[in-house]
Amino acid sequence: MTSPVLQTERLTLRLPSAEDFEAWAAFHAEADTMRFLGGVQARGAAWRSLCTMVGAWSVRGFAMFSVIERDTGRWVGRIGPWQPEGWPGREVAWGVAREFAGRGYAHEAAVAAIDYAVDVLGWDHVIHTIDPENRGSIRLAQRLGAVNEGPVRLPAPLESFRVDAWGQSADQWRARRGTATA
């Protein structure tokens, strides 16, 4: 399977792979990081989530990327297009490891991922599902130009999570990015 590799000033976004597993598992074991991402996962569950992400690339043709710090080669997080069965819309989701939080990496990678979703995948609308208490992700969504479109329901086994869809149209994104098409 071939997959895109996106480059930003400081990051590489690429298909997740087995070499990411130790950092992936550590990310999924961080209570603060996972507070709004479904909760802490044991190593076995983290392995299955990594395999799910890789499998989604094959089944859907897209999924979240592993985000790699270009200068060091270290795994930063997982960010990108995401739409499991029953999801309330086409999402660009994000999550960065605690040690990389506050460096602007989530914004940098999310911009590249939204550009990819709109320009390559042809999405006409992008959402971000965010718990109303997740102030950091809300600030990032607002910085990306998204607006709160109201509460949505996630599919089982996540149906008990409270989330709002923050979103915008592809045209709004392009206009904001200065890449409007004629």
Side-chain angles (χ1 to χ4, degrees):
M1 168 186 1
T2 60
S3 67
V5 175
L6 310 180
Q7 299 284 341
T8 69
E9 181 181 338
R10 301 177 295 164
L11 305 169
T12 298
L13 285 71
R14 60 155 173 77
L15 187 81
S17 67
E19 72 188 71
D20 301 332
F21 179 62
E22 290 304 323
W24 185 282
F27 169 87
H28 284 84
E30 293 176 0
D32 288 342
T33 299
M34 294 302 293
R35 177 177 174 208
F36 298 113
L37 299 176
V40 169
Q41 292 181 358
R43 283 179 65 82
W47 172 256
R48 288 186 295 281
S49 73
L50 173 67
C51 291
T52 296
M53 201 62 64
V54 173
W57 274 102
S58 179
V59 172
R60 289 260 195 220
F62 62 85
M64 284 188 257
F65 297 93
S66 274
V67 179
I68 309 300
E69 192 175 45
R70 288 176 66 173
D71 286 348
T72 66
R74 291 171 51 202
W75 189 89
V76 170
R78 54 178 176 76
I79 296 175
W82 186 236
Q83 189 183 20
E85 178 58 31
W87 215 246
R90 293 175 170 168
E91 179 170 18
V92 168
W94 52 75
V96 298
R98 181 178 54 229
E99 68 187 284
F100 296 103
R103 297 186 193 181
Y105 286 164
H107 180 265
E108 187 174 326
V111 166
I114 296 170
D115 281 344
Y116 179 78
V118 167
D119 297 337
V120 177
L121 299 177
W123 289 6
D124 60 359
H125 190 260
V126 175
I127 66 166
H128 320 289
T129 57
I130 303 173
D131 184 297
E133 294 182 23
N134 187 344
R135 297 289 168 223
S137 281
I138 290 170
R139 282 191 301 276
L140 177 54
Q142 290 171 327
R143 186 171 174 208
L144 292 166
V147 297
N148 190 337
E149 298 174 341
V152 292
R153 187 171 193 94
L154 300 178
L158 307 172
E159 70 273 12
S160 66
F161 289 97
R162 290 181 40 230
V163 295
D164 291 330
W166 287 76
Q168 63 188 306
S169 72
D171 288 340
Q172 290 167 322
W173 174 253
R174 286 186 191 106
R176 187 169 191 285
R177 297 280 295 148
T179 57
T181 56

